Amino acid sequence: MGFGDLKAPSGLKVLNEFLLDRSYIEGHVPSQADVAVFEAIATPPPSDLCHALRWFNHIKSYQSQKNNLPGVKKPLGQYGPAGVADATAAIAKKAVDEDEDDDDVDLFGSDDEDDAEAARLKEERVAAYAAKKANKPALIAKSSILLDVKPWDDETDMAKLEECVRSIQMDGLVWGQSKLVPVGYGIKKLQINCVVEDDKVGTDILEEQITAFEDFVQSMDVAAFNKI
Amino acid sequence: MNMALRELSSLEKYLGLKKPNKYSTRGDKKVPLLQTNNGQPMVGLVTIACHLVKEAKRPELLGCTAEDRAVVHQWLEYRVSKLDSCSKEDSRTILKDLNLYLQDKVCMAGNHFTLADVLIYNGIHPIIVDLTFQEKEQYMNVTRWFDHIQHCAGIRHHLPPVVVLRNRIYTSKHH
């Protein structure tokens, strides 16, 4: 969730799309959700992003009573359309990095003391950032893949073949349902589903591992590939 | 009970008026009528609705600033003169006009909910109910405003909710 970087045109475009059919960020009345997003925006959206501008002007009129609006302010990453990568961690890291650069330019302090002080502060900030990152559940990209595993002939033990395929264990790989599909001449292929985390498992690795069972597997194909 | 009377009764509930009034109607068009104590009857949806708002001591529903008040009255008049008993052709023109009007607005008048929102909502409901999903997307600003109003607590007493599909099925250009 989140809108991406709301200080950049890309983020404002996401906001604009989101507000096409919504009057408010959450629900049907102005709330702290609107306040949170409003405060993240630097300048009024341009007039070609008419929905974002409409919302902006409307929420601006509630500025005097913003503390009385219902709800609780959440981090920006919790609002907005699902499926947008949460950029708030990247922006926070940028802020941390910029702060660390400032530490280097210390014109007035004495060297030893401040080095230790600066080092301690840096440690603290990095730890805080790491803790923050650890708490935030990342958006994991997953796919559902349907594989066709073909045997050498009709005498291949399909039960054993399936056992071999399912014995492949990897981080980010979960085997699903399977069935035997006849392809002709008494030969059956194994059609098996799996869900993979895109970052960890690819079809080439799967192919490598499956075709390693040379006694049973003649070849493997990807029958279907869907993003979840 | 005819639609106008049902609408007034709904409005009374929204305003929290404890004692419902007894209405009657007049003429072929069944214009609503409220008999008052001083003998002069109040006639007409808008007249009676404004009276109810004052009775409930909710003057902000008629607009907070002079400008807002003018805009509210403009839309109340629009409701009875253009919206009620409009033809199917007219309804498409109305939707087009409203869609343009609502592009940069969350409410009909100013930044707050007013009687204009209630009466236009009531008046336009029968049109919206008959729109296909594609048409609802065509008049996206009207749909957005309509969905906002129908979710406002206490407005939608006598009218069934209209489903507004959130996923944009038709990704044609629209504003």
Side-chain angles (χ1 to χ4, degrees):
Chain A
M1 297 190 60
F3 298 99
D5 185 358
L6 278 170
K7 298 218 190 325
S10 55
L12 288 177
K13 279 207 179 81
V14 175
L15 180 66
N16 193 58
E17 261 304 294
F18 184 74
L19 292 170
L20 192 101
D21 60 353
R22 286 179 179 82
S23 298
Y24 301 100
I25 298 293
E26 267 186 357
H28 298 276
V29 290
S31 69
Q32 292 301 325
D34 299 283
V35 177
V37 179
F38 184 86
E39 288 175 348
I41 295 181
T43 57
S47 57
D48 61 319
L49 299 180
C50 64
H51 305 285
L53 184 59
R54 169 195 19 99
W55 168 85
F56 184 89
N57 288 332
H58 182 69
I59 298 302
K60 198 163 105 174
S61 76
Y62 284 87
Q63 274 302 288
S64 58
Q65 18 168 308
K66 67 177 175 182
N67 293 328
N68 299 332
L69 294 179
V72 172
K73 257 194 245 183
K74 296 187 276 204
L76 279 179
Q78 308 240 355
Y79 300 122
V84 172
D86 185 351
T88 55
I91 298 171
K93 180 161 202 314
K94 212 167 99 178
V96 169
D97 284 346
E98 281 168 8
D99 283 349
E100 287 171 2
D101 285 342
D102 286 346
D103 276 352
D104 293 339
V105 183
D106 195 351
L107 300 173
F108 297 103
S110 80
D111 288 351
D112 291 339
E113 267 179 34
D114 281 336
D115 274 350
E117 181 67 34
R120 189 181 64 76
L121 273 176
K122 186 170 166 170
E123 287 288 304
E124 255 184 295
R125 286 208 196 110
V126 173
Y129 165 66
K132 198 169 156 202
K133 188 101 209 285
N135 283 336
K136 212 171 299 226
L139 203 73
I140 306 173
K142 288 198 181 148
S143 304
S144 165
I145 314 180
L146 189 63
L147 301 168
D148 275 349
V149 185
K150 300 189 189 90
W152 291 104
D153 55 30
D154 59 340
E155 294 193 2
T156 309
D157 185 347
M158 293 309 291
K160 206 81 187 40
L161 186 149
E162 182 168 346
E163 220 180 277
C164 292
V165 172
R166 284 185 185 278
S167 74
I168 299 172
Q169 299 288 333
M170 287 174 70
D171 182 21
L173 167 67
V174 177
W175 289 112
Q177 286 190 320
S178 64
K179 64 180 183 190
L180 294 174
V181 179
V183 288
Y185 305 109
I187 304 176
K188 295 196 184 74
K189 66 179 176 183
L190 175 71
Q191 230 183 35
I192 185 165
N193 207 317
C194 63
V195 174
V196 299
E197 286 179 36
D198 293 343
D199 292 338
K200 296 183 184 159
V201 182
T203 51
D204 39 359
I205 300 182
L206 279 175
E207 181 158 8
E208 220 177 87
Q209 300 222 353
I210 289 176
T211 51
F213 295 104
E214 285 171 354
D215 293 339
F216 298 97
V217 177
Q218 188 237 60
S219 66
M220 183 208 96
D221 281 315
V222 175
F225 192 113
N226 295 307
K227 284 229 139 288
I228 302 180
Chain B
M1 215 205 296
N2 89 8
M3 276 310 277
L5 299 192
R6 223 184 284 174
E7 189 175 340
L8 287 170
S9 154
S10 244
L11 186 58
E12 284 176 340
K13 289 201 189 78
Y14 168 71
L15 291 168
L17 290 169
K18 294 292 188 307
K19 211 164 137 263
N21 288 309
K22 200 149 185 310
Y23 301 102
S24 49
T25 60
R26 183 164 90 174
D28 300 329
K29 293 224 177 118
K30 301 265 188 264
V31 178
L33 190 153
L34 177 63
Q35 195 63 30
T36 61
N37 294 332
N38 64 8
Q40 281 290 86
M42 275 198 198
V43 183
L45 177 68
V46 172
T47 314
I48 301 177
C50 291
H51 165 77
L52 290 176
V53 166
K54 289 185 191 125
E55 212 185 297
K57 303 213 194 348
R58 302 277 302 270
E60 74 280 5
L61 288 177
L62 293 175
C64 297
T65 64
E67 189 188 333
D68 285 352
R69 280 193 285 273
V71 175
V72 169
H73 268 99
Q74 174 195 305
W75 286 110
L76 296 181
E77 277 310 306
Y78 186 93
R79 160 69 201 276
V80 286
S81 61
K82 287 247 169 65
L83 202 43
D84 283 353
S85 62
C86 69
S87 68
K88 177 120 193 225
E89 245 172 56
D90 291 338
S91 74
R92 291 305 179 263
T93 312
I94 290 172
L95 285 172
K96 213 170 96 190
D97 290 344
L98 267 179
N99 200 51
L100 197 56
Y101 180 76
L102 286 168
Q103 181 172 291
D104 62 347
K105 292 178 194 64
V106 176
C107 307
M108 293 301 290
N111 279 307
H112 294 269
F113 185 78
T114 61
L115 191 64
D117 293 289
V118 184
L119 257 61
I120 297 292
Y121 165 79
N122 286 327
I124 213 167
H125 187 278
I127 299 179
I128 303 286
V129 150
D130 281 341
L131 289 182
T132 62
F133 279 119
Q134 186 170 22
E135 285 172 310
K136 283 202 253 268
E137 300 234 335
Q138 201 183 337
Y139 304 111
M140 199 66 228
N141 297 317
V142 178
T143 306
R144 167 190 33 91
W145 165 84
F146 189 89
D147 199 38
H148 164 220
I149 300 302
Q150 71 176 354
H151 280 96
C152 282
I155 296 301
R156 206 183 40 74
H157 279 290
H158 63 294
L159 294 170
V162 178
V163 173
V164 168
L165 202 63
R166 282 267 142 108
N167 304 323
R168 239 60 64 52
I169 328 178
Y170 305 101
T171 52
S172 54
K173 303 269 173 288
H174 48 65
H175 270 291

